[in-house]
Every structure is written in C-alpha cells, then in structure tokens.
Amino acid sequence: MKNKAATSIDTVSFKNLRRLYLFALLTIAITVLLSQLLIQYNLNSQRSDSRIINISGKQRMLSQKLTKEILILNFVTDTSKSKQEIIRINEIISLWKFNHNALEKGNDSLGFPKEKSPALTKLFVAIKPNFDTILNAATRLLENKKSHTKEQENQKVVQTILENESIFLSKMNEIVGEYDKQALEKVTLQSKTEYAILLFTLLVLLLEFIFIFKPTNKKVETLIFKLLFSEKKALKLAHDTEIISEIKENSVKELKSLNYAMENTLLYCRVSPDGKLIHIGEKFSKLLQYNPFISDKTFSQVVTPIEKEQIGIDRIIAEKQRSGWQGEINITNRNGESIWLDLSMVPVTIKKEESELLIICFDITERKKAEQEVERLNTENVTDKINQQKVISSKIVENQENEQNRIAREIHDGIGQMLTGLKFSLESINLDDKEKAAQKIEYLKKLSLDIIKGVRTATFNLMPPELSDHGINSALAKLTQELSKLTGKNILFYNKTNFDKRLDSLIEINIYRLTQEAINNAIKYADSSHIIVQLSHSNSILSITIDDNGKGFDIETAEKKRNSESGMGLLFMKERIQYINGRVFFNSIPGEGTRITFNIPI
C-alpha cells in the first residue's frame, strides 16, 4: 500500500513538473514574441524618424542653396544665364516648399506623421513667418527679374532674404535638434523595455531551473536509486513468503513505471565493465539509429561507426569504470552527422562481485552549434575591426609621410634655393662699385622678403598662427582667403552668428583640419568653382558647413568602397570628428553639389 501511495505521489509530481515546464516554455515564447514585435515596431518608427531628420537637414541645405542662387541671380547680367538661374531657383523653391509642408503637416507617401509634439508644433509656428517671408521675397524677385524691372526693389528683397535666412537656419537647427531628441528618447525607451524583457526572461529561466530542472534531476536520481534497490531486494527475497512475493510484484510494477519514464525521458544505457552493451533506452537508440535488439555490440560500436572515435570511448570506459566520468564527447552518427553528448558514466554494483556502468547522456548538439557560431561571428568582427584599423593606420602614416615630403620640398626647392642665392649675392657685393652694390642690396631686400614669405607659408601649413593667436574664426577666414588666392576658386567664409569664443586647442586644430580636408576634397575631386564655408553656433553646438557646387557623389556607394579615395576620406572625417565628440553629416546630390556639416559640442 505504501508503494502504491509513493507511485501515485511520483506520478502527480511529474505531472506538476510537466505543467510547470510547459508554462515556462510558453512564457518564454510569449516574451520573445512580444520583444520581436516591439523591436520591429520601434525599427519602423526609427526609419520614419531618420527620414524626417534627413529631410529637415536637407531643408537647411536648400534654404542656403536658395539664398546662394538668388545672390548669383542678382549679379547675373546675361539674359540666357538669368533665365537658367530663374528655372533652377523655381525648382529649388518647389522642393523647399514641398519638404516644409510635408514636415509641418505630415505626408503619407513619405511616412511623415500629421500629429506632432507640442514642442515641434511651437517651433513650426515660430519658423513660419521667416519661411513665408523668404518664399514671398524670392517669388517677387523672380517676377521682377522676368520683367527686368524694379532693380532697387530687388536689392531690398535680397536683403530681406539674407536677414530671414539666418533666422530660418537657426530655427531649423532647433527643429532638427528636437527631432533628434525625440528619436533618442524613443531609442532609450526601447532599450529600457528590451532590458526589462531580458531580465524577465532570465528570471523565468532561473525559476525554471530552481523549480523544474533541479527537482526533476533529484527525482530521476531518486528513481534510479529506487530501481536498483528494488531489483536487488527482489533477487534477495525471491524465495520468501507470499507477502514477500506481493512486495516483489509491487516492486516490479514500480520498476516498470520507472523504466518507462527513463526510456522516454532520458538518453541512457547500461554497459558492462568490459564495454559490452547490456541495455539501451528507446530514446537513446532512436538518436543513435541503432536496433536495441542487437546485443553483441560494444557501447562504442553502438555510439559511432568511426573507429577513431570508438577507440577514444573504449579508453574512457577502461580508465574510468571504477571512479566514474563526466564530460562532453563529439561523435559521428551513421548518417555522417556530428552529435555532441554531455555524458555521465556512473559505476553501479549489482552483486558483491558484479558491477556495471550506468551511462546517462544529454544531447547538446544545438548548444554547441550556437556556441561555435557565436565564436565565429566574434572572430569575424574582431578581424574586420583589426583590418579596418590597419587600413586607417597605414593611411595616416602615408599622409604624414606625404606631408613631411611636401614640407621638405617646399623648404629645399623654395626657401633653400633662395637662401643659397642670398649667400652668393652677399659674397659677390663689391663695395668699391657703389652703384652695382646698391642694386644688389635692393635685390637682396626683395629676396629677403620672398624668403620671409616662404617661411610664413611653410609655418602656416604646419600650424597657422591665426589659430593659436586668435582662434578658429580667424583661422578659417585666413584659410579660405589663402586657398582662394592659391587655387583661383571662389572660396568664401561667413561667420553667421559672430562666433568669437576660444575653444580647447585640441578641438580647434581638429576643426581646422576637418574644414581644410573638406575644402581640399571639393577642389581636388568635385571640380567646384564656388565653395562657401559657414560658421554658426547655438548655446551648445558649434556648426561648420561647407557647400560646393561640384559634381557631387553617391554617399552609400562611397562608404561601401572603403579602399577608394572617397571612401577613406569619409572614414577619416568620421574618425577625426569622434575624437572631439562631434558628428558629421554628408549631403550630396550627383551633378548638383555637396554639403558637409560638422557639429561640435561647446
């Protein structure tokens, strides 16, 4: 009666464990599903946010391009060129107006929402007067240009556009900042939600281990012990009374129940000390694709047909048959598939001088595959990063070497030769011939001025004195002025917000080098004739914008070609701007021009 009660309790316990296990699996599945749905929803939202931020940034470029084209139109006297400028300005106005209406009122085709936060609504209300003023002034200017009338009024209209354009850009920067802030808040919320889901999932797994796997392991151990104990007890009491016979019958029933549970839940088998298979569980035989009614095989022959793997298993059994063994083994089944088993070998004494080995396994193939895949991906990521850093390092060294060679050539070919000429001219002065001596002295004065100019040029290229003495505003003004004289290009600099503060020397030199790189790229690769450098700032951001009217390029294609000049140029700008915690934005339209914006926190 006690045995029946114990069997009933064990059955109820297994049912409860099964219910808990199914409930835990269902909870994890629902958690994963909700997490994926949330991630997909947030990803779709972020695509819309990135598109909005991109269009907002493009609005700033279009407003500046509109101002630039209106300035060009105002000074164009050729009728045919004036008509082309009017057509181009009309196209810019149409695109500018369409983008602004889409941002302000929403657009289904672009995926822009109609409803906005109170902060964005307030910003769009504040920017609308400036937008309307620029739009009306530009339209009136085009009408006057078409009719070739009201030239004085045109000057006032241009002045009105210039006055409102800087205000429009400043307010548009606030709108872009607000969009960026809201997108960041969404990403932060998503991150917190995902962490919460992850913690919940880990908690479920911990509870599953405590209340399911651990009790199940204990019950299996208990059942195995009861099985062996009952078998030993049944053999010892074979000739006892009917009461003993009844106890034996109940033990056999319990044994069958436990054996059924083991056959269908565990990968187990019994093996003799010499490695011969005594019995194999049904689930284990299915995994190994082995016929359990064949009893003349060793355990290693049942597990794998590969001779090398058989030798390794036989060695473990021979060495560990007394002490037992636990570990992971990799085998190949009869279909040539690789299987990983977590194997535990427990020595069991059946009689006084008779023993056998109980082998219990867990199939961990999927876990091993996942670990190998994670290791492979980590190795690939590390390799990619190392290769990328090697390319960057080699390019930096190459640029440094080129710069050193250029400076050496300037000193040798320019300053060096002029100093040599100065030396020879000084040695050739004949004080007795005063007239020729005076002529040579005048020549030496001119040569000295040229040497001083060469030295200043070389030192300016190394470290412009305006940067260390007066700051980034004066340094950029001097840079554009010198490059304009040197290249013959129309390079202009505007300090739109009258920025005159000094920054950290590391930040200033990096801003200077980034601007210098952008201008040189516009001259060297874009075939630009007009380049405009604009400096503006807010309370927390210093913004440098470089616009050119060159041939432009496809940003995605350039970024993919990491070994090309354009791809490496973009990469170096991103690397350098990160040193000062800044951000860089590239906007380019093939055939129309390029805008590069550097935003640096101040």
Side-chain angles (χ1 to χ4, degrees):
M1 295 297 291
K2 290 182 179 179
N3 289 336
K4 289 183 179 179
T7 302
S8 176
I9 292 172
D10 289 337
T11 304
V12 172
S13 297
F14 272 112
K15 288 182 178 179
N16 290 334
L17 289 173
R18 184 165 59 249
R19 292 193 192 99
L20 290 173
Y21 184 73
L22 291 175
F23 174 75
L25 288 179
L26 181 62
T27 304
I28 294 173
I30 293 174
T31 304
V32 172
L33 180 61
L34 289 175
S35 176
Q36 288 300 315
L37 291 174
L38 179 63
I39 291 171
Q40 292 302 321
Y41 172 79
N42 286 325
L43 285 176
N44 290 331
S45 175
Q46 289 171 17
R47 290 192 191 101
S48 175
D49 291 341
S50 63
R51 194 180 299 114
I52 289 174
I53 293 172
N54 187 29
I55 293 296
S56 300
K58 191 174 181 180
Q59 276 296 90
R60 297 183 297 180
M61 183 193 73
L62 287 174
S63 67
Q64 292 180 322
K65 188 172 183 180
L66 175 62
T67 304
K68 179 181 72 176
E69 295 296 339
I70 285 175
L71 288 173
I72 294 173
L73 174 64
N74 194 40
F75 292 103
V76 169
T77 57
D78 188 279
T79 305
S80 60
K81 290 185 178 180
S82 177
K83 289 181 179 180
Q84 293 177 359
E85 287 293 332
I86 290 172
I87 293 172
R88 188 180 294 109
I89 290 173
N90 277 324
E91 292 175 353
I92 295 172
I93 289 174
S94 298
L95 180 58
W96 187 51
K97 184 177 179 182
F98 173 78
N99 289 345
H100 190 82
N101 289 333
L103 290 170
E104 182 179 6
K105 300 177 182 178
N107 186 287
D108 295 334
S109 62
L110 295 177
F112 292 176
K114 296 181 180 179
E115 297 295 331
K116 294 179 178 62
S117 66
L120 282 172
T121 302
K122 184 178 179 180
L123 289 173
F124 274 108
V125 170
I127 202 174
K128 184 172 178 57
N130 303 107
F131 174 80
D132 291 339
T133 301
I134 295 173
L135 183 62
N136 293 334
T139 304
R140 189 163 64 253
L141 176 66
L142 293 179
E143 291 175 355
N144 292 342
K145 283 293 183 179
K146 287 179 181 178
S147 59
H148 304 286
T149 59
K150 302 180 180 179
E151 289 299 327
Q152 292 183 351
E153 182 183 351
N154 290 346
Q155 298 302 324
K156 295 180 179 179
V157 168
V158 170
Q159 186 62 31
T160 300
I161 292 173
L162 290 175
E163 290 173 355
N164 283 271
E165 191 262 348
S166 61
I167 300 173
F168 177 84
L169 278 179
S170 177
K171 293 181 178 179
M172 203 66 207
N173 283 338
E174 294 179 5
I175 291 174
V176 173
E178 184 63 26
Y179 275 125
D180 189 52
K181 175 184 175 184
Q182 293 183 7
L184 180 61
E185 289 176 352
K186 291 180 182 178
V187 172
T188 303
L189 178 60
Q190 177 189 351
S191 177
K192 291 180 179 178
T193 305
E194 289 179 358
Y195 278 125
I197 293 174
L198 175 62
L199 291 175
F200 179 74
T201 305
L202 293 176
L203 177 62
V204 172
L205 289 174
L206 178 62
L207 294 176
E208 186 175 311
F209 173 77
I210 295 173
F211 295 105
I212 298 176
F213 290 113
K214 193 173 181 180
T216 302
N217 183 58
K218 288 183 179 180
K219 284 209 169 285
V220 169
E221 290 179 354
T222 303
L223 291 174
I224 293 173
F225 176 77
K226 288 182 179 179
L227 172 64
L228 297 175
F229 178 78
S230 298
E231 185 179 11
K232 183 178 179 180
K233 188 176 181 180
L235 292 172
K236 184 179 179 181
L237 300 177
H239 302 289
D240 281 346
T241 60
E242 292 183 358
I243 299 174
I244 297 175
S245 178
E246 183 180 353
I247 294 173
K248 179 182 178 181
E249 184 179 351
N250 292 333
S251 299
V252 170
K253 290 180 180 180
E254 184 178 4
L255 176 63
K256 289 181 179 180
S257 175
L258 296 176
N259 187 59
Y260 177 80
M262 291 180 63
E263 292 282 342
N264 291 276
T265 59
L266 291 177
L267 303 176
Y268 89 101
C269 65
R270 294 160 53 204
V271 179
S272 64
D274 60 356
K276 289 287 185 179
L277 182 68
I278 299 174
H279 174 75
I280 184 170
E282 183 178 351
K283 188 175 182 180
F284 202 7
S285 64
K286 287 181 180 179
L287 176 65
L288 300 176
Q289 299 177 348
Y290 171 74
N291 185 356
F293 298 104
I294 300 176
S295 58
D296 60 343
K297 300 285 186 180
T298 64
F299 174 70
S300 61
Q301 293 172 339
V302 172
V303 170
T304 176
I306 306 301
E307 183 177 356
K308 184 177 180 181
E309 296 176 356
Q310 292 175 358
I311 293 173
I313 295 173
D314 289 336
R315 185 177 67 252
I316 292 174
I317 292 176
E319 294 176 355
K320 304 295 182 179
Q321 58 175 297
R322 294 184 180 277
S323 60
W325 185 81
Q326 194 278 329
E328 298 177 354
I329 61 171
N330 181 221
I331 62 170
T332 305
N333 66 9
R334 286 164 176 76
N335 290 335
E337 298 173 346
S338 178
I339 298 176
W340 280 90
L341 296 176
D342 186 352
L343 187 145
S344 298
M345 183 172 64
V346 182
V348 179
T349 301
I350 304 301
K351 293 182 180 179
K352 186 175 182 180
E353 295 182 356
E354 183 179 346
S355 63
E356 63 182 41
L357 299 173
L358 179 63
I359 296 177
I360 301 174
C361 301
F362 293 95
D363 185 0
I364 59 172
T365 304
E366 294 301 324
R367 190 188 77 189
K368 280 291 183 180
K369 288 181 179 179
E371 291 175 355
Q372 292 171 358
E373 181 66 15
V374 169
E375 183 177 356
R376 183 185 67 81
L377 293 175
N378 288 337
T379 303
E380 288 181 357
N381 289 336
V382 170
T383 303
D384 289 343
K385 289 181 179 179
I386 291 174
N387 291 335
Q388 181 176 329
Q389 288 300 323
K390 286 181 179 178
V391 172
I392 294 172
S393 299
S394 64
K395 195 66 178 178
I396 290 172
V397 171
E398 180 183 347
N399 289 341
Q400 290 175 343
E401 187 67 25
N402 292 337
E403 184 67 13
Q404 291 173 356
N405 291 335
R406 183 187 64 78
I407 294 170
R409 284 197 304 271
E410 286 183 0
I411 294 174
H412 179 272
D413 297 341
I415 300 172
Q417 292 183 4
M418 286 188 288
L419 287 173
T420 302
L422 179 63
K423 174 181 177 296
F424 288 136
S425 296
L426 287 171
E427 291 174 350
S428 65
I429 293 175
N430 185 2
L431 297 177
D432 296 333
D433 190 347
K434 294 183 177 181
E435 184 178 351
K436 288 185 177 181
Q439 292 177 356
K440 286 189 177 183
I441 290 172
E442 288 299 323
Y443 169 73
L444 290 176
K445 288 181 180 180
K446 182 177 180 300
L447 185 59
S448 299
L449 291 175
D450 292 338
I451 293 173
I452 293 171
K453 183 178 180 182
V455 172
R456 286 179 177 175
T457 301
T459 55
F460 177 79
N461 290 331
L462 288 172
M463 174 58 73
E466 283 79 4
L467 185 61
S468 58
D469 295 341
H470 305 292
I472 191 63
N473 178 34
S474 297
L476 293 181
K478 183 68 174 178
L479 173 67
T480 54
Q481 181 182 356
E482 292 294 327
L483 289 177
S484 181
K485 291 179 181 179
L486 181 64
T487 62
K489 306 288 186 180
N490 191 6
I491 306 174
L492 303 176
F493 173 72
Y494 296 102
N495 185 353
K496 300 180 63 176
T497 55
N498 296 322
F499 180 79
D500 58 355
K501 295 180 180 179
R502 293 303 304 268
L503 304 174
D504 182 80
S505 59
L506 177 62
I507 295 176
E508 287 186 339
I509 189 60
N510 275 283
I511 293 174
Y512 182 83
R513 294 304 182 197
L514 284 166
T515 307
Q516 188 178 40
E517 174 77 9
I519 296 174
N520 287 334
N521 287 344
I523 296 171
K524 185 176 180 181
Y525 301 111
D527 296 331
S528 306
S529 61
H530 289 77
I531 302 171
I532 298 177
V533 181
Q534 298 182 81
L535 184 148
S536 60
H537 77 289
S538 62
N539 292 334
S540 58
I541 297 294
L542 176 67
S543 181
I544 310 291
T545 303
I546 301 93
D547 288 304
D548 68 70
N549 64 343
K551 59 186 179 182
F553 63 95
D554 185 86
I555 297 174
E556 293 184 0
T557 303
E559 287 182 339
K560 290 178 182 177
K561 296 180 179 178
R562 288 295 176 88
N563 295 326
S564 67
E565 289 290 339
S566 58
M568 292 304 297
L570 299 182
L571 180 60
F572 288 148
M573 286 187 185
K574 291 180 179 178
E575 289 288 332
R576 186 183 281 272
I577 198 71
Q578 287 179 357
Y579 292 154
I580 54 176
N581 297 321
R583 299 179 67 185
V584 59
F585 300 93
F586 300 100
N587 290 291
S588 184
I589 300 176
E592 295 190 18
T594 301
R595 162 173 286 188
I596 300 177
T597 303
F598 302 109
N599 287 343
I600 303 95
I602 57 175

